[in-house]
Amino acid sequence: MRFPDVPTFRGFQAPGRFEGEVRDLEVVQGEVPRDLNGAFYRVGPDPQYPPLLGNDIPLNGDGMVSRFHFEDGRVDFRTRWVRTPKFLAERAAGRPLFGAYRNPFTDDPSAGGISRGTANTNILWHGGRMLALKEDSHPVEIDPITLETIGPWDYDGALTSATATAHPKVDAATGTLIFFGYAARGETTPDIAYYEADANGHIVFERWLQAPYSSMVHDFAVTEHHIVFPIVPLVSDLQRLKDGGPHFAWDPSKPVYLGVLPRRDPEAPVRWFVGDPRFASHTMNAFEENGRIHLDMSVGDSVVFPFFPEINGAPFDPEAAVPYLSRFTLDTTKPTDDFTQTRLSDVAGEFPRINEAYATRDYRFGYLSMQSGIPDPTMPGSYTGMRFDLIGRVDHRTGALASHYVGDASATQEPMFVPRSGATSEGEGYVIALINRYASMHSDLLILDAENVDGEPVATLTLPLRLRNGLHGTWLDSGQLADHEASRTDRPEQASS
Amino acid sequence: MRFPDVPTFRGFQAPGRFEGEVRDLEVVQGEVPRDLNGAFYRVGPDPQYPPLLGNDIPLNGDGMVSRFHFEDGRVDFRTRWVRTPKFLAERAAGRPLFGAYRNPFTDDPSAGGISRGTANTNILWHGGRMLALKEDSHPVEIDPITLETIGPWDYDGALTSATATAHPKVDAATGTLIFFGYAARGETTPDIAYYEADANGHIVFERWLQAPYSSMVHDFAVTEHHIVFPIVPLVSDLQRLKDGGPHFAWDPSKPVYLGVLPRRDPEAPVRWFVGDPRFASHTMNAFEENGRIHLDMSVGDSVVFPFFPEINGAPFDPEAAVPYLSRFTLDTTKPTDDFTQTRLSDVAGEFPRINEAYATRDYRFGYLSMQSGIPDPTMPGSYTGMRFDLIGRVDHRTGALASHYVGDASATQEPMFVPRSGATSEGEGYVIALINRYASMHSDLLILDAENVDGEPVATLTLPLRLRNGLHGTWLDSGQLADHEASRTDRPEQASS
């Protein structure tokens, strides 16, 4: 049981691996608003065992879910691993069985046939279920109160894809869940399966399509009437996997495609808009306007992940990798297949979030992690060489950026927007973010007034421990939690161990 | 919920307050010996709530028990607060109810009648029970596997004293437990109740006596035929408590008394040996030799605790406070009431431990936390201004000291001796200690070969979190744990919350 002495597993990124709770977190600044009641969930990779192959990329750890439960000005913290089939198999064996990130050819023979999913990327609440998501596998249901694992969830057999994205969208008007799986017929296949599930969580629409090439389709975009699949040239290849190579490589010879299709239309052809190669990862939001589709994403000139190599051996370019919030606009009323890209901020940023009540519709405000300085690949505790020292709010109406500096030797994780109870406007609410404190090696939970992001924080809570970088999360308000509590008596027994 | 910005509650001593586990601790150096099977328990103060009065001394936190379970070269970590009556009352109230250390006159009125014990000082395994101990109250039984609290334990009503020491002794030859309570008729009373309990945990002897003055009687000494109560002038006074003052004060006008009485003799007068004032806290061991009693303790010229003031207002003297392992020898065959003190090491040291199979008998080896440098009252993470950067082994036969430097910006907590399975000599075994790493703000668990303390460690395990300074602990071997496991089905339900 020894992790390799590399930055991925040392310093702030040293494996966490603890499960448990802290009741009533200390509030070191301000006061927790009494109108903020519910729970903030986030998940991130936290390896149960050292890498089977001696080293690993930071995205491959087992999903560790953290829950911050807010009630009447107090916050309780709990953290627990998702008991994925992989996690349970490795715990039973007492050692790692699964090899490289999304490369089953590197596994121990005893791992054959067991899902490789780590459930480490996002948390979804939909249809009365809390799901931990990883784009290479099926969701895993967890209990939103105890964080105990219920088990993999395939929508009562209706999830025919081998995979499901970690970035589904909920149509704000209907409660419909729109999601997809890529590599849907198995790793490196170009197949994409697109689903819609009604507000009760039943899949009501399914359609399959093929991407122009096999690549990471980490996120996508949904508007009132359309769905858009961004295909960026972070390509996958079965032979490379068989040769023991990395799952993804950056191929700047390939164009970017934005595949557009009308929602819930089983027949309409996919329309592929084409542009120069570039990298885009997370969607802030998308909406349509008179036949045009606006798609706001963090976009870089090149791939943001240093651990996925350039296919021709060129070195990682940290400058070109820097992502900026940008707007793709494509016009479905015109016959040409081009699209435009407009930079929305000159401050580098990623992990974009919105008021989810405005998802798929025109919106005004977005929130994201931003970086005031230049990228530094030696920066500790980062997947990318970036360190996000700002929490930003962009106002698409005015173009204004408000930002909050999270402190020296500090970085923010994904900022979460939480609407204020009874809010009457889009921007009214709080921004919640975990802050890495590198000097004191602990985490804080920061609460900002979303309409006053650059002001004094509403509250700062401190954790007596360090939560390594997570990925994404969600918020459940106290009403949703109460509904769940009322309904959970008839749920199946939870997975043990 | 905010702790005061003082060193007692900040930096490495920031409240821990988490409960949970880490399975299969990472081994960053060496290998965990496969013949080291059992569990290491330790306890220390970790406040559930900030001090009611705005500040507090470090000894007053709620008892947090940690367990390191060793099996076949793997170590699992678990930590959990003892659910004392105080803890449960404060959790139910959601706020602190108890005021200053051992001063009930400073409590919230709603705390009246509830035991103030924090169970934060030591862990005892005897008679099939694991007890968390604090010298101002009754023991609290906990489950040695889950660490869940069973409840206060009064020896089936036979514990007539209001208190029980945190430093009981087990007669190595008979398995008898020898213990006492001081302030046995209530805080600041000079009464001492002395008990012996047989190997099954039944109290079989009780005797009451009075100390020459009321003071902290933190530890004592037991030999084959005698018991010795060291009375040092860290005095208590009821009126000071009523005036809101500290429980203890240092009164260098008072002599030290060593009260000797034969074991299990209900009549024999206590013989008080007298000496100049000095401070002595923890006993390493004691034994008798032709009517002479040798009592090895850490002894300083003055009180080691900066937070218990000199009674006449003199400032704390860090130099005079430095404790050195010293031997008191008193001769019961002579009519004079004097005793001698011999320094056993010129290196400052505290938290002495031995091979418990030699408790109350002549012995050769002792282990303790030691300090290579001069004391520095600004040292972080210390109760006393001392930082213990050495683990020492003293050899009483040769006088030799072997020591292990635990690293820069590091300190050791109490070192625990664990005999090697099947050992045939006193010194054969391991020394286990938690190490504070101040630069990286985490804890390591160090395993040394007890016969090669100054050599390369046998293993270093790393924790992904910081365990604030604990006090004392114990070791249960795997046989004791298995016996307990076999017998626990018929135990009462555990306390909840």
Side-chain angles (χ1 to χ4, degrees):
Chain A
M1 255 304 291
R2 191 172 309 175
F3 287 86
D5 277 321
V6 296
T8 307
F9 298 107
R10 288 293 180 243
F12 205 88
Q13 287 301 101
R17 303 181 73 250
F18 50 84
E19 299 186 296
E21 64 171 30
V22 182
R23 296 262 195 117
D24 214 348
L25 289 177
E26 183 180 358
V27 184
V28 290
Q29 175 267 320
E31 282 193 38
V32 179
R34 288 179 180 262
D35 63 357
L36 187 55
N37 288 296
F40 167 45
Y41 299 84
R42 45 82 78 175
V43 64
D46 199 343
Q48 181 179 202
Y49 286 107
L52 181 64
L53 306 180
N55 202 348
D56 205 347
I57 69 171
L59 302 177
N60 205 24
D62 299 285
M64 178 75 86
V65 179
S66 305
R67 173 187 198 256
F68 296 85
H69 182 245
F70 290 65
E71 191 171 356
D72 292 336
R74 294 176 188 253
V75 181
D76 291 337
F77 166 75
R78 174 173 290 194
T79 188
R80 188 169 168 85
W81 263 311
V82 184
R83 267 56 179 170
T84 60
K86 168 187 184 289
F87 179 96
L88 291 171
E90 294 189 324
R91 172 153 287 187
R95 64 186 180 90
L97 301 176
F98 296 82
Y101 171 81
R102 298 182 68 174
N103 189 340
F105 302 104
T106 60
D107 291 349
D108 186 279
S110 67
I114 300 171
S115 169
R116 305 180 88 256
T118 50
N120 72 11
T121 311
N122 204 353
I123 296 290
L124 169 68
W125 172 257
H126 187 260
R129 293 177 194 273
M130 177 159 276
L131 303 176
L133 304 172
K134 174 77 179 183
E135 66 194 32
D136 70 348
S137 48
H138 281 188
V140 179
E141 186 178 359
I142 61 174
D143 184 297
I145 312 295
T146 64
L147 303 186
E148 286 178 327
T149 298
I150 295 164
W153 171 240
D154 66 0
Y155 292 83
D156 282 328
L159 179 60
T160 51
S161 168
T163 64
T165 181
H167 288 289
K169 313 297 176 201
V170 177
D171 185 311
T174 63
T176 301
L177 182 76
I178 304 98
F179 70 106
F180 70 100
Y182 77 95
R185 297 195 198 278
E187 290 293 32
T188 76
T189 59
D191 304 272
I192 293 176
Y194 145 48
Y195 301 92
E196 299 212 6
D198 66 18
N200 296 317
H202 302 299
I203 287 180
V204 292
F205 180 79
E206 172 180 356
R207 179 177 170 180
W208 288 67
L209 59 145
Q210 282 215 331
Y213 54 82
S214 295
S215 69
M216 177 190 274
V217 190
H218 182 63
D219 200 345
F220 75 139
V222 178
T223 67
E224 188 175 355
H225 301 106
H226 292 88
I227 180 166
V228 186
F229 293 106
I231 308 298
V232 301
L234 187 59
V235 299
S236 62
D237 177 69
L238 190 63
Q239 190 56 50
R240 190 166 60 239
L241 295 190
K242 289 181 177 170
D243 294 344
H247 191 101
F248 292 115
W250 179 245
D251 183 355
S253 75
K254 289 195 162 56
V256 160
Y257 293 93
L258 300 178
V260 179
L261 64 169
R263 280 178 58 187
R264 296 218 208 177
D265 185 325
E267 304 290 344
V270 182
R271 185 162 169 197
W272 294 102
F273 292 77
V274 191
D276 291 337
R278 72 201 84 175
F279 184 75
S281 179
H282 293 117
T283 303
M284 178 175 271
N285 199 9
F287 61 98
E288 56 200 64
E289 182 186 34
N290 305 323
R292 290 189 305 163
I293 294 173
H294 301 296
L295 200 174
D296 298 343
M297 300 188 79
S298 283
V299 181
D301 293 336
S302 185
V303 64
V304 78
F305 302 116
F307 40 79
F308 293 138
E310 228 264 19
I311 203 158
N312 295 315
F316 175 71
D317 182 348
E319 292 269 345
V322 175
Y324 294 91
L325 183 66
S326 304
R327 176 163 292 182
F328 295 146
T329 298
L330 40 91
D331 193 335
T332 60
T333 67
K334 290 191 177 165
T336 54
D337 66 357
D338 59 325
F339 63 90
T340 63
Q341 177 182 331
T342 312
R343 189 177 279 190
L344 299 178
S345 174
D346 287 327
V347 181
E350 247 290 1
F351 293 98
R353 299 296 306 228
I354 57 168
N355 181 335
E356 293 293 336
Y358 291 76
T360 76
R361 298 301 196 273
D362 191 10
Y363 74 117
R364 179 172 173 184
F365 298 113
Y367 311 86
L368 72 175
S369 301
M370 303 188 101
Q371 172 167 296
S372 62
I374 55 167
D376 173 2
T378 67
M379 195 73 78
S382 164
Y383 295 139
T384 60
M386 300 187 68
R387 194 178 74 195
F388 297 112
D389 54 358
L390 301 175
I391 295 172
R393 184 191 75 159
V394 293
D395 180 339
H396 295 307
R397 186 177 301 167
T398 66
L401 171 70
S403 69
H404 184 92
Y405 178 65
V406 299
D408 296 341
S410 300
T412 183
Q413 300 191 18
E414 182 189 61
M416 166 78 43
F417 176 86
V418 180
R420 183 174 287 129
S421 170
T424 55
S425 70
E426 180 188 343
E428 232 180 304
Y430 302 100
V431 177
I432 299 178
L434 265 178
I435 309 297
N436 305 344
R437 302 293 188 198
Y438 296 111
S440 43
M441 293 291 277
H442 78 279
S443 300
D444 282 342
L445 188 69
L446 187 67
I447 305 173
L448 303 177
D449 178 349
E451 294 179 299
N452 190 20
V453 159
D454 46 2
E456 172 91 349
V458 174
T460 305
L461 295 91
T462 196
L463 284 144
L465 36 80
R466 167 183 56 80
L467 295 178
R468 68 203 304 267
N469 276 315
L471 291 168
H472 308 282
T474 197
W475 172 265
L476 253 66
D477 68 33
S478 54
Q480 292 169 307
L481 283 166
D483 290 348
H484 174 79
E485 192 66 52
S487 73
R488 71 202 279 254
T489 50
D490 57 345
R491 300 305 299 278
E493 282 299 301
Q494 287 144 355
S496 61
S497 169
Chain B
M1 252 303 291
R2 192 171 309 173
F3 287 86
D5 277 320
V6 296
T8 307
F9 298 107
R10 288 294 179 241
F12 206 89
Q13 287 301 100
R17 303 182 72 248
F18 50 84
E19 300 186 292
E21 62 171 30
V22 182
R23 295 262 195 117
D24 213 349
L25 289 177
E26 183 180 358
V27 185
V28 290
Q29 176 267 322
E31 283 192 37
V32 179
R34 287 177 181 267
D35 64 358
L36 187 55
N37 289 297
F40 167 45
Y41 299 83
R42 45 84 77 175
V43 65
D46 199 343
Q48 181 179 205
Y49 286 107
L52 180 65
L53 307 180
N55 201 350
D56 206 348
I57 70 170
L59 302 177
N60 205 24
D62 299 285
M64 178 75 87
V65 179
S66 305
R67 173 186 197 255
F68 295 86
H69 181 246
F70 290 65
E71 189 168 358
D72 292 335
R74 294 176 190 252
V75 181
D76 292 335
F77 166 75
R78 173 172 291 195
T79 188
R80 190 170 166 84
W81 263 311
V82 183
R83 266 59 179 170
T84 60
K86 168 185 184 290
F87 180 96
L88 292 171
E90 294 189 323
R91 171 153 288 188
R95 64 185 179 90
L97 301 175
F98 296 82
Y101 171 82
R102 298 181 68 173
N103 189 340
F105 300 104
T106 60
D107 292 349
D108 185 277
S110 67
I114 301 170
S115 168
R116 304 182 89 258
T118 50
N120 72 11
T121 311
N122 203 354
I123 296 290
L124 169 69
W125 173 257
H126 187 261
R129 292 177 195 273
M130 176 158 279
L131 303 176
L133 305 172
K134 174 79 180 184
E135 67 193 32
D136 69 349
S137 48
H138 281 190
V140 179
E141 185 177 1
I142 61 174
D143 184 297
I145 312 295
T146 65
L147 304 186
E148 286 177 326
T149 298
I150 295 165
W153 172 239
D154 67 0
Y155 292 83
D156 283 328
L159 179 60
T160 51
S161 168
T163 63
T165 181
H167 288 289
K169 314 297 174 198
V170 177
D171 185 309
T174 63
T176 301
L177 182 76
I178 304 96
F179 69 106
F180 69 100
Y182 78 96
R185 296 195 198 278
E187 290 293 35
T188 76
T189 59
D191 303 273
I192 294 176
Y194 144 49
Y195 301 92
E196 299 213 3
D198 66 20
N200 296 317
H202 302 299
I203 287 179
V204 292
F205 179 80
E206 172 181 355
R207 179 175 172 182
W208 288 68
L209 58 145
Q210 282 215 332
Y213 53 83
S214 295
S215 68
M216 177 188 274
V217 190
H218 181 63
D219 200 346
F220 75 138
V222 179
T223 68
E224 187 175 356
H225 301 106
H226 291 88
I227 182 167
V228 186
F229 292 106
I231 308 299
V232 302
L234 186 59
V235 299
S236 61
D237 177 70
L238 190 62
Q239 190 57 50
R240 190 166 60 239
L241 294 191
K242 289 181 178 173
D243 295 343
H247 191 102
F248 291 115
W250 179 245
D251 183 356
S253 74
K254 289 194 161 59
V256 160
Y257 292 93
L258 300 178
V260 179
L261 64 168
R263 281 179 56 188
R264 296 216 204 177
D265 186 325
E267 305 289 343
V270 183
R271 185 161 169 197
W272 295 101
F273 291 78
V274 190
D276 291 337
R278 72 201 87 175
F279 185 73
S281 179
H282 293 117
T283 303
M284 178 175 269
N285 200 7
F287 60 98
E288 56 200 64
E289 183 186 36
N290 305 324
R292 290 190 304 164
I293 294 173
H294 303 295
L295 200 175
D296 297 344
M297 300 187 79
S298 284
V299 181
D301 292 337
S302 185
V303 64
V304 79
F305 303 116
F307 40 79
F308 293 137
E310 228 264 19
I311 204 158
N312 294 316
F316 175 72
D317 182 346
E319 292 271 344
V322 176
Y324 295 91
L325 183 67
S326 303
R327 177 164 290 183
F328 294 145
T329 298
L330 41 90
D331 195 334
T332 61
T333 65
K334 291 193 175 165
T336 54
D337 65 359
D338 58 327
F339 64 90
T340 64
Q341 177 183 331
T342 312
R343 188 177 281 190
L344 300 178
S345 174
D346 287 326
V347 180
E350 245 292 358
F351 293 98
R353 300 296 305 228
I354 56 167
N355 182 335
E356 293 294 335
Y358 291 76
T360 75
R361 299 299 196 274
D362 193 9
Y363 74 118
R364 180 171 173 184
F365 298 113
Y367 311 87
L368 71 175
S369 302
M370 302 186 101
Q371 171 168 298
S372 62
I374 55 167
D376 172 3
T378 67
M379 196 73 79
S382 165
Y383 296 138
T384 59
M386 300 189 69
R387 194 177 75 196
F388 297 111
D389 55 357
L390 301 175
I391 295 172
R393 184 191 75 158
V394 293
D395 180 338
H396 294 306
R397 186 177 301 167
T398 66
L401 171 70
S403 68
H404 184 90
Y405 178 64
V406 299
D408 296 341
S410 299
T412 184
Q413 300 191 19
E414 182 190 62
M416 166 79 42
F417 176 86
V418 181
R420 183 174 285 128
S421 169
T424 55
S425 72
E426 179 188 344
E428 232 180 303
Y430 302 99
V431 178
I432 299 178
L434 264 179
I435 309 298
N436 305 345
R437 302 294 188 198
Y438 297 110
S440 44
M441 292 292 276
H442 78 279
S443 299
D444 283 342
L445 187 70
L446 187 68
I447 306 173
L448 303 176
D449 178 351
E451 294 178 301
N452 190 20
V453 159
D454 46 0
E456 171 91 350
V458 174
T460 306
L461 295 91
T462 195
L463 283 145
L465 35 80
R466 168 183 56 80
L467 295 179
R468 68 204 305 264
N469 276 317
L471 291 167
H472 308 282
T474 196
W475 172 265
L476 253 66
D477 69 33
S478 53
Q480 292 169 307
L481 282 167
D483 290 349
H484 174 78
E485 192 67 49
S487 72
R488 72 201 278 255
T489 49
D490 56 345
R491 299 305 299 277
E493 281 301 300
Q494 286 144 357
S496 63
S497 170

